[in-house]
Amino acid sequence: MAAPPVRLLFVCMGNICRSPTAGGVMAHLLAQEGLTDAVRLDSAGTGGWHAGSPPDERSTAAAARRGIVLEGAARQVHARDYVEFERLLCADADNLRDRRARAPNATARQKVRRLREFDPAAVAAGTLDIPDPYYGGTHGFEDVLDLVEAGCRGLLADLRAAGLG
């Protein structure tokens, strides 16, 4: 009998740029490794301003240039997400602080981490935030993809070390 899938929730502010990008990149990496069924992915925002909206067109275009598909509709983080997901992976310190402050207990708080904590180069440099590209130019979306990919590769290595696949 196969183990139940690991459940990961990627979190940013509005759930239209960074968190759907992280979900798309992670799905792409899992597909390359034949691990799609081993992990369940979702994304959400700390705020509900964009609820129901697709990923930002600039994020989608940047990802598509790399062969990565971004899907889904924006939603806000719910209290039940602390139960349904093993890890809540935040884009930056503000998202991390918000999610930890709203965690119902210490166990739930421990599930909340920043995605770049899994990127050894980011840890060494002390740059764990993924900047929000929403108000910048298109280059910011490419930068986000680079940062997210490094974090997702490290996260995948961490999951493998814990017995995935």
Side-chain angles (χ1 to χ4, degrees):
M1 183 158 118
V6 175
R7 297 160 301 168
L8 307 174
L9 180 67
F10 296 100
V11 179
C12 69
M13 184 177 288
N15 191 214
I16 60 169
C17 297
R18 296 171 291 172
S19 53
T21 296
V25 167
M26 192 66 174
H28 184 77
L29 294 174
L30 291 167
Q32 288 178 332
E33 299 291 323
L35 294 170
T36 301
D37 293 337
V39 181
R40 187 180 131 221
L41 305 171
D42 198 1
S43 66
T46 58
W49 314 280
H50 300 288
S53 297
D56 185 282
E57 291 177 5
R58 297 163 295 175
S59 292
T60 302
R65 286 191 289 275
R66 298 185 189 196
I68 298 167
V69 177
L70 304 189
E71 299 178 312
R75 71 172 184 88
Q76 190 169 5
V77 177
H78 300 289
R80 70 179 177 269
D81 291 330
Y82 290 97
V83 175
E84 293 181 9
F85 293 92
E86 279 86 7
R87 297 186 189 184
L88 285 76
L89 300 148
C90 298
D92 62 35
D94 290 337
N95 304 141
L96 180 79
R97 204 170 17 262
D98 179 77
R99 289 299 92 208
R100 284 187 175 164
R102 296 175 189 267
N105 54 49
T107 301
R109 258 187 308 284
Q110 291 176 345
K111 294 179 175 188
V112 182
R113 311 258 311 263
R114 277 187 280 190
L115 175 60
R116 291 196 72 206
E117 290 178 37
F118 297 93
D119 175 1
V123 172
T127 56
L128 299 179
D129 284 352
I130 300 168
D132 191 344
Y134 189 76
Y135 292 106
T138 56
H139 188 67
F141 294 89
E142 295 293 337
D143 292 343
V144 164
L145 274 162
D146 293 338
L147 299 175
V148 163
E149 183 177 348
C152 285
R153 286 189 185 283
L155 176 58
L156 182 55
D158 186 72
L159 294 171
R160 281 188 175 279
L164 181 70

